[in-house]
Amino acid sequence: MAHLDRAVAEEQDARDPLAFARERFSVPEGLIYLDGNSLGALPSGVRAAVLDAVERQWGQDLIGSWNGNGWWTLPERVGDRIGALVGAAPGQVLCGDSTSVQLFQALTAAARLRPDRRTLLTDAANFPTDQYLSDAVGRLLGLEVRRVDPADLEVGPDVAVVTLSAVDYRTGRLWDLEAITRQVHAAGAVVVWDLCHAAGVLPVDLDGLGADAAVGCTYKYLNGGPGAPAWLYLARRHQRAADLPLTGWMGRADPFGLAGAYTPAEGMARARIGTPPVLSMVAVEAALEVWDGVDPAAVRAKSLALGELLITLADGLRAHGLTVVTPREGRHRGSQVSLRHARAYELSQALIARGVVGDFRAPDLLRLGLAPLYLSYTDVWDAMHALEEILTTKEHEAPQYRRSQTSVVT
Ligand SMILES: *Cc1c(COP(=O)(O)O)cnc(C)c1O
């Protein structure tokens, strides 16, 4: 690329303090994977852990594994491990079910903490499931659901809950968690953060923020695998008062009493619902080992530097109709860069054909996720070089890349 030599990226790789972490993943040879914000790559240790859970724990130890192999305590154990990555002291994060289910739990419990207020605010650009569940909880509890732009958030005296995603999944914009949390609390409301696109790439300090509740998935930057269970954070100060709507037997104070009325367990255990997906949770637990000895500040620094390199290279392609949608300022940026182009879909397909996997979000965004643990600076350079060649030769206008169906969102 004329305006930035590959040697610049090679030099950055040579100085990369996180270069060692790539060995902890099985990424196919020759593939440049820029979709870790949708489905994270496979950590090398997962295969053996899942095989052990199937063959030894299930195959040999059978029912004894609930205690003998620690299946019973997996939701709390994995929850605490995730908590360490999002600034939550132990006993406040529980792993289980999908993000959508956890949003329902969190939003309902949060609204019930402010029973005299009748409004729930969410972002008009929030991920669809966050909006649908906001509406569902609104219908259930008789709340008015209002969609707002987090850039000019106003929290009136009737607002019970504000729920936002830390990072906009389309544009990659990062909101100011601290300022917003402070503003919501000043208005007497509670905040539910969705950290799907933040956990594992941004230093989030939920306890330090004084956040009330949060949710996140584990299959994006936490690399837990397809359909891996999500997590719920409930600040300790709210746990006793939290009236969670899904009262399954595993969250009962005495789960083996198996009779009588539901009394919630003490602490975070009340967020347990039913039998957890053990095999998936074993995979998540093994996947989290890639964080051993990894400095979160180094992850953020590399994520921002990869983004800067990508933006610089994208700026060189402006003449081809490509524009950068993601904010340039680091403090407003998550860990992806979204590029706008009228033929973004065709570009994403032509890139995939060249072994560069990003994704497309309708109507015109090419989304490139930057997972600092397994991505190098030369990966970014090579990906953008491929994009330049495609644009220059108009490779993406070939008939096989024409759009025939919509892609799956996440
Ligand atoms: C990925 C994502 C989800 C996914 O929800 P699931 O129930 O896990 O399918 C929800 N919200 C946001 C903001 C996301 O980025």
Side-chain angles (χ1 to χ4, degrees):
M1 229 166 272
H3 62 293
L4 191 70
D5 205 80
R6 191 173 192 269
V8 174
E10 288 165 7
E11 166 63 19
Q12 283 177 292
D13 280 334
R15 285 186 281 112
D16 177 10
L18 288 176
F20 71 91
R22 191 183 175 94
E23 297 295 301
R24 298 182 176 186
F25 292 86
S26 312
V27 182
E29 201 52 45
L31 184 80
I32 299 178
Y33 192 64
L34 301 174
D35 221 351
N37 52 340
S38 205
L39 176 66
L42 171 67
S44 313
V46 167
R47 196 176 280 113
V50 172
L51 213 62
D52 179 64
V54 170
E55 293 188 341
R56 182 180 61 84
Q57 301 180 24
W58 178 13
Q60 302 300 316
D61 300 346
L62 283 159
I63 196 79
S65 288
W66 281 103
N67 292 318
N69 290 311
W71 290 356
W72 185 266
T73 52
L74 264 173
E76 283 91 351
R77 211 164 65 232
V78 176
D80 282 345
R81 192 105 193 232
I82 294 165
L85 296 173
V86 291
Q92 301 176 100
V93 176
L94 191 98
C95 183
D97 299 278
S98 66
T99 317
S100 300
V101 170
Q102 298 298 6
L103 274 166
F104 178 70
Q105 288 276 75
L107 294 174
T108 307
R112 285 172 170 169
L113 289 171
R114 294 291 180 271
D116 301 331
R117 296 170 170 229
R118 311 302 328 150
T119 305
L120 186 153
L121 302 183
T122 189
D123 179 356
N126 212 339
F127 189 83
T129 212
D130 298 61
Q131 298 200 45
Y132 304 154
L133 281 151
S134 294
D135 289 337
V137 170
R139 275 199 304 279
L140 193 74
L141 302 182
L143 305 175
E144 185 195 346
V145 176
R146 289 219 315 269
R147 284 157 169 77
V148 296
D149 178 350
D152 13 76
L153 182 66
E154 278 177 40
V155 188
D158 192 47
V159 173
V161 180
V162 177
T163 183
L164 301 171
S165 292
V167 178
D168 184 303
Y169 76 105
R170 273 206 196 87
T171 64
R173 178 174 184 142
L174 168 66
W175 299 108
D176 186 339
L177 274 66
E178 208 179 313
I180 292 176
T181 302
R182 210 180 312 121
Q183 184 189 357
V184 172
H185 286 168
V190 293
V191 65
V192 177
W193 283 110
D194 186 326
L195 300 181
C196 278
H197 283 268
V201 274
L202 298 174
V204 177
D205 183 7
L206 285 172
D207 288 348
L209 286 173
D212 301 287
V215 301
C217 66
T218 60
Y219 51 75
K220 291 173 182 165
Y221 296 113
L222 296 180
N223 314 298
W231 55 272
L232 168 70
Y233 163 89
L234 272 182
R236 196 179 301 283
R237 67 181 183 283
H238 290 314
Q239 288 176 3
R240 187 153 292 171
D243 184 357
L244 292 160
L246 297 175
T247 51
W249 72 285
M250 281 206 174
R252 191 171 182 264
D254 172 14
F256 291 98
L258 295 178
Y262 178 90
T263 317
E266 279 302 308
M268 206 53 203
R270 72 182 49 203
R272 296 174 67 117
I273 305 171
T275 307
V278 171
L279 297 179
S280 282
M281 227 177 267
V282 163
V284 176
E285 189 171 40
L288 291 170
E289 284 176 21
V290 301
W291 299 98
D292 288 351
V294 168
D295 172 13
V299 174
R300 177 60 172 159
K302 183 174 175 185
S303 155
L304 287 175
L306 289 167
E308 245 152 69
L309 176 64
L310 203 160
I311 289 171
T312 303
L313 294 168
D315 282 343
L317 301 176
R318 243 178 288 187
H320 294 280
L322 197 73
T323 53
V324 176
V325 169
T326 306
R328 282 155 195 273
E329 243 188 295
R331 68 194 172 93
H332 296 312
R333 207 171 351 119
S335 200
Q336 74 183 48
V337 175
S338 299
L339 305 175
R340 178 164 283 136
H341 190 277
R343 315 218 32 193
Y345 176 78
E346 288 89 339
L347 289 176
S348 71
Q349 295 303 302
L351 279 168
I352 290 170
R354 283 172 169 254
V356 178
V357 177
D359 62 29
F360 163 75
R361 287 296 172 267
D364 56 3
L365 292 184
L366 177 63
R367 223 175 47 148
L368 304 174
L370 304 167
L373 294 193
Y374 52 83
L375 208 68
S376 68
Y377 294 92
T378 42
D379 282 339
V380 168
W381 196 94
D382 291 345
M384 294 306 285
H385 186 62
L387 185 58
E388 179 177 34
E389 286 190 352
I390 290 166
L391 286 164
T392 308
T393 61
K394 301 197 190 303
E395 198 171 301
H396 60 292
E397 292 178 15
Q400 71 264 35
Y401 301 134
R402 216 161 279 152
R403 198 169 167 198
S404 56
Q405 60 184 47
T406 48
S407 68
V408 173
V409 291
T410 42

